Amino acid sequence: MADNVTSLFRSNAAHSPSMAALARESDGAGPVDFCIPCNPYFPTPAMFEDMATRLREIITYYPSSADTITAELCSLLQLPPQCVAMGNGSTELITWIDHLLVRESLAVPVPTFGRWTDQPMETGKRVDMFPLQESGGFALDLAQYAEFIRARGTKVAVICNPNNPDGGFLHKHAVVQFMDAMADLDLVVIDESFLEFADAEVEPSVVQEAMLRPNVIVLRSLGKNFGLHGIRFGYLVANPALAGRVRSMLPKWNLNSFAEHVVFMLKEHGTEYQQSLHQVRRDRMDMSGQLSSLPGLTVYPSQGNFLFVRLPVGAEGTVVRDRMLTEHRLLVRECGNKIGSSSRFLRLVVRPQVDVRRLVSGLEQVLYGTSRRGAAVPEQATGTGYSSGTAAIDRLFSETNGAGTQGLAAQAIGAGTGAPGLPAAPAAGIGMPLPAVPSPVPVGADAGMPMPAAASSGPQQMPQQAPPMQSPPMQPPPMQSPPMQSPPVPQQPVPQQMPQQMPQQMPQHPLAAPAQVPAPAPMPAPMPAAASYPSPQMPTGPTPPGVPARGGLTAAQVRGTDGLSQAPGASWSGAQSWPEAAGMGQLS
C-alpha cells in the first residue's frame, strides 16, 4: 500500500495527487491534509448539513446561468456585475486570460503558482521568470521586478499577493504604484487568491483600483477562502471591457449547481465566515512558532493560509514527504517541482492546533531519528541519505542565492545585489515602492509611481556580472527550437533602446458608485525614456527541472520542452458582518 501511495507523487509531476486518489490507494480514508490550501473552518457543520439534505436536488437539475450566479455574488461583495467574470475555478480564468490577452510574453516571479508559468508555455508564449531570492526571504522587490520587465520587453506582468508557496505579501500602495508604472503593458494581473487570509493591512485588495484602469485584472478565489476546492469557482474583477471580453468566451452554464447553492447561502453566514478567517490567522501564528522550534528548520513569514519551510541541511524533501504520509498519515507539499524552488522546501497548510501537534511530532520522528527507521537528516559530514540531486541544488542555492551573493534576478538584468542604483531587498513580507524619478511634479504616496530614472545620455553602465559558479556546470541535452519559439538569447550583450512610454489616462467607470469605488489617484509624473539595457550573457541550454530559473529563461527552457507541447507530467440579513470585496473591511 505504501509503495502504491507514494508512486502517485512520482507519476504526477505538476501537482500533488488528489485526496480521492490517495484514499483509493489506502484503506478508504484520506490522510490529514497539510497540502491543499483550504479553509478548515468554513463552511460550518450546519452549512454542510444543509447541503447534504439538498444533495439530490443539487446534483439532479441544471444550475442557473452564470449571469444569475454572478449577479448574486456581486450583490454580496458590492461589485458591479459588468466588472466581474466568474469561472469554474481560477485555473479556467487563467486559461482564458492567456488565450485572449497574452500575445507573446508574460513575466512572473518564481516560485509561484504553477499555472502562471505552465499555461502560457503550453500555448507557445515566452515566460520571463524573475527569481525570488532566498537570502531576502523570498520577498518580491518591485523595483527590480520592474527593471527586469523593461529589460526583457515583456508585454504582460503577473503578481501573486500573497504569493504561493512562500506567502510573501505586498502592501496595497506598492501594488497600485506598480500597476500605474506598468500602464503601457498589454496587461497586469494581480492574483489575490489568498488575500483574505492576510492581516498585515486592513483593506489590502486592489479590486476597486482595477476597475478604473484599462489594463488590470484582479483574480480572486472562492474555493480556497470558503474551504470548498471541489466546487471549483472563482472570479476576476476588471474594467467592463476586459471583464466582458473574458465573460463572453465562457459557457453559459460553466458554474455548477453546488457553486450556485453556496453563493446563495453565503449571505446568511457572513459572521461565521469572518470568524473562520480570524481563526486561520491565529492558527498561522501558533503553527509558525511550533515549527520554528524544530532544529534546523527555517519558517518564512507568510500572509497566506500556509507556511513555506526549508528543511534542515541534508534532508531530502521527497523522502520526508513519503515517510510523513506512510508512517504518520500526514500529507505535506514537497516543492521540488516548483520552478525557483527545490526539494529542500515544503509548503504546509495552516490547520487547527491538534493537527499541528501531530505534524510537529511526525517531523521530529522523521527528521531526527526517533522512529525505527532512523533520521532523514544525516550526521554532519557523512552525507548519508543525501541524494546527489539535492546536493547539486544546495550548491546552486549556496553560490547564487542563499548565501546572499549576486542573485539570479540581478544576473537577469545585468546588475548585482546591492549594486549602485539598486535598492537592497526589503524585509520579508514587506513590499517596496519603486524609486521615484526626480521631477518638478511632487510625487506623493497616492500619486502613482514613475519608472526608475534613466541615464541622461548614453547607455547605462551596468555593474560587473557575478563570477561563475565553482561547481561543474550541468550539461543538459540540446533543445530543438520550434518555428514559433522566441529567438534564443544572444551570447553577447546587445543594447536595446526602450521607447519612451507615457501612462494613459484612467477614466472612472460610470457604473461604480462614488461611495464604493474611490476616485482615480492623481496621475504620476511622465516616465522618462528607459535606458538601454545590455542583454546579459546567459546559458543557452535548458535549466534542469527543479533548479531555480536563471536569467529569465523561458518556461520551456526550464522544463526542457520545445515550448509548444505540454510539459510532463445587498439587502439581506447579516449585511453588517459580511466582509467586502477586499476581504477585511465591514460593509457600511
Side-chain angles (χ1 to χ4, degrees), residues 110-191:
V110 293
T112 194
F113 178 50
R115 293 312 300 169
W116 283 120
T117 56
D118 295 351
Q119 171 61 41
M121 176 194 68
E122 291 164 6
T123 54
K125 315 294 172 51
R126 190 185 84 229
V127 180
D128 298 328
M129 289 172 286
F130 180 77
L132 300 176
Q133 301 297 294
E134 182 194 358
S135 57
F138 294 95
L140 174 57
D141 185 330
L142 286 177
Q144 292 187 4
Y145 185 39
E147 291 190 17
F148 173 82
I149 291 169
R150 296 303 184 191
R152 297 287 295 178
T154 319
K155 301 299 184 182
V156 174
V158 175
I159 292 177
C160 296
N161 190 36
N163 189 44
N164 173 14
D166 56 275
F169 176 77
L170 297 166
H171 285 278
K172 179 178 179 177
H173 71 88
V175 177
V176 172
Q177 288 180 331
F178 180 84
M179 287 159 44
D180 288 340
M182 300 290 109
D184 59 311
L185 297 189
D186 289 351
L187 185 67
V188 177
V189 181
I190 311 299
D191 189 338

Side-chain angles (χ1 to χ4, degrees), residues 221-301:
S221 173
L222 294 174
K224 300 175 182 66
N225 306 332
F226 296 154
L228 295 167
H229 274 287
I231 290 184
R232 309 303 304 138
F233 58 160
Y235 66 101
L236 63 78
V237 182
N239 70 73
L242 274 179
R245 187 173 179 186
V246 175
R247 192 170 53 245
S248 67
M249 300 302 296
L250 298 173
K252 188 175 184 64
W253 286 286
N254 69 317
L255 302 174
N256 59 62
S257 295
F258 269 113
E260 177 179 15
H261 185 77
V262 171
V263 168
F264 273 83
M265 72 187 300
L266 287 175
K267 58 188 176 184
E268 305 295 336
H269 298 278
T271 300
E272 295 97 321
Y273 174 63
Q274 183 155 311
Q275 289 172 348
S276 75
L277 297 179
H278 287 312
Q279 186 60 51
V280 170
R281 297 166 195 149
R282 288 192 292 266
D283 287 347
R284 181 177 62 211
M285 182 178 299
D286 176 77
M287 181 174 170
S288 178
Q290 292 196 49
L291 290 173
S292 297
S293 67
L294 296 177
L297 196 75
T298 302
V299 183
Y300 296 93

